[in-house]
Amino acid sequence: MMKALRIYAGPAARKHIEQHGLRPQDVRTIPGAAGGPKGLILGPLDRFIFGRWLTQSSQPVHLVGASIGAWRLSTACLADPHKAFERFEHDYVRQQFEVPPGQKRLSPQQLSERFAESLVDFYGGRIGEVLGHARYRLHVVTSRGRHILGREGRARTPFGYLGAFATNSLHRKGLGAWLERCVFSTPGAALPFGTRDFRTRQHALSEENFNMVLQASCSIPFLLAAVHDIPGAPRGAYWDGGITDYHLHLDYQPADEGIVLYPHFQRAVVPGWLDKGLRWRHKSTSFLDRMVVLAPEADWVRSLPNGKLPDRKDFIHFANDAQARIGAWDRATREAERLSDEFEAWLATGGRTRDILPL
């Protein structure tokens, strides 16, 4: 039978597995990538890792997420994560956007208002569970605009992002002239990665700013409105964390011989959203030496509905048939149970290194 899961590892992670296997107590950091509906495919892995496997250990674990990855990892911090992830998947798959009469589409502000309502509904009264988790240290990545992008505007936002795109094409650090990485963390938690690669700020998550931070991390420019002036952080416009850190290609620095375990929807760990078309930036680097990536096999992905992972284009493709989109996404998430089953079976072998591919 065709495999669904592929396991990739950096050189230090592979050496660790050769000596010790992969044990829940080895995990020090778990990233969560931006990517919209693609993240749905990771639901079964999330439920197994957070609901059953990591419960066998007691060490602190840093959870670093952007966009849907931040939403997933915030969900992992709730009591009974298995049940929380089931609700997350159910609600995400079944979201629908009714367009008022006389409009062709919802405006960014209308989409943002509906998203804000969904966050209040999902996390209402439970933010304390997220911030006070006994083991998990949450880090939500946002992109804060600088200079012309410091406020959102009909002219300044397109001009600013055009400049960001051009500058980033020449040098990734050049993007820092337009946007900076702004990470909101569990109070008192140090960042589990170095920040010399890109301009970075860190601020504390709180009951007051949590929903605004999570919404900002998911606010795709031009599709949703920016979130302005988050309490506890500098004034300005905050956008999707995936712009600066699409797949969290960060300088991970476990304090010991720990592992960065990455349930991901592809092999490549792309630095920023504007790097998607810059293939030379998709290669692994020394930042990922201690990383293990769990990703779907390409041939298995082609067996899913429409031959691909769920993505935002499905909202357009199924614009007149929301139930067909929901059915396709439900089938994809059911098929993704194989990812979890195969990971669990591999762990039961002691983590055979012959099954690991280079990252």
Side-chain angles (χ1 to χ4, degrees):
M1 180 185 291
M2 173 179 56
K3 275 186 170 290
L5 179 71
R6 289 298 182 194
I7 301 171
Y8 305 92
R14 183 186 180 93
K15 182 177 179 181
H16 176 100
I17 295 171
E18 286 175 348
Q19 296 174 347
H20 309 289
L22 181 61
R23 305 162 300 185
Q25 62 264 34
D26 296 330
V27 177
R28 296 294 181 273
T29 305
I30 298 180
K38 295 184 184 74
L40 289 170
I41 212 71
L42 304 173
L45 278 169
D46 287 338
R47 291 193 288 273
F48 170 72
I49 290 170
F50 291 104
R52 292 171 51 200
W53 190 58
L54 277 182
T55 59
Q56 302 170 41
S57 60
S58 59
Q59 80 285 2
V61 181
H62 291 274
L63 310 182
V64 185
S67 198
I68 192 174
W71 198 355
R72 286 173 43 230
L73 295 177
S74 297
T75 301
C77 297
L78 293 172
D80 193 351
H82 189 282
K83 184 177 180 180
F85 276 120
E86 286 184 331
R87 181 186 171 190
F88 170 81
E89 181 179 296
H90 177 275
D91 291 359
Y92 196 106
V93 167
R94 282 157 182 76
Q95 61 185 318
Q96 298 186 50
F97 304 101
E98 299 281 341
V99 179
Q103 289 185 222
K104 292 184 178 180
R105 63 182 66 86
L106 292 176
S107 69
Q109 190 60 44
Q110 287 171 320
L111 279 171
S112 291
E113 288 170 0
R114 296 191 184 189
F115 183 46
E117 292 170 0
S118 70
L119 290 178
V120 170
D121 181 57
F122 193 86
Y123 291 103
R126 305 189 69 184
I127 296 172
E129 294 177 31
V130 178
L131 303 184
H133 197 282
R135 297 180 57 198
Y136 299 154
R137 313 293 185 255
L138 179 65
H139 307 272
V140 178
V141 181
T142 68
S143 302
R144 177 178 178 266
R146 303 186 66 226
H147 307 305
I148 194 172
L149 289 177
R151 309 301 294 183
E152 191 172 31
R154 295 183 64 179
R156 64 193 301 160
T157 301
F159 181 81
Y161 274 103
L162 180 62
F165 177 82
T167 308
N168 179 76
S169 298
L170 297 175
H171 198 287
R172 173 161 160 76
K173 275 194 173 182
L175 179 63
W178 307 86
L179 294 153
E180 63 185 3
R181 174 192 296 141
C182 197
V183 187
F184 291 82
S185 304
T186 298
L191 292 176
F193 52 85
T195 58
R196 296 181 65 182
D197 64 315
F198 197 78
R199 184 184 180 97
T200 303
R201 293 176 183 263
Q202 185 187 24
H203 303 286
L205 283 167
S206 68
E207 293 262 3
E208 183 182 12
N209 68 22
F210 176 82
N211 279 7
M212 291 179 70
V213 169
L214 194 52
Q215 178 162 345
S217 188
C218 297
S219 291
I220 304 164
F222 310 109
L223 183 62
L224 282 86
V227 175
H228 287 83
D229 305 336
I230 295 175
R235 292 173 58 84
Y238 291 78
W239 278 282
D240 195 311
I243 304 169
T244 56
D245 294 285
Y246 189 41
H247 293 164
L248 293 310
H249 193 126
L250 302 169
D251 185 10
Y252 293 102
Q253 300 174 337
D256 49 23
E257 297 301 301
I259 293 295
V260 179
L261 180 66
Y262 197 172
H264 195 14
F265 44 77
Q266 64 179 49
R267 175 182 183 177
V269 182
V270 181
W273 188 80
L274 298 176
D275 299 319
K276 288 196 295 183
L278 308 179
R279 295 289 178 179
W280 60 91
R281 293 189 187 168
H282 295 194
K283 298 177 181 178
S284 181
T285 69
S286 61
F287 285 8
L288 313 183
D289 281 356
R290 303 205 64 82
M291 179 176 284
V292 175
V293 170
L294 311 175
E297 160 63 45
D299 287 339
W300 176 79
V301 170
R302 285 188 281 271
S303 74
L304 297 177
N306 305 304
K308 64 179 184 60
L309 300 176
D311 61 37
R312 274 187 294 272
K313 293 179 182 177
D314 291 337
F315 285 112
I316 299 172
H317 180 72
F318 294 107
N320 299 316
D321 193 352
Q323 291 306 310
R325 174 187 58 79
I326 291 169
W329 286 10
D330 269 338
R331 181 184 153 196
T333 55
R334 286 196 304 271
E335 292 291 328
E337 294 285 351
R338 287 187 54 192
L339 301 175
S340 176
D341 292 344
E342 291 182 18
F343 181 51
E344 185 175 7
W346 177 76
L347 291 170
T349 69
R352 293 180 309 208
T353 52
R354 73 186 188 196
D355 297 322
I356 299 175
L357 299 171
L359 184 58

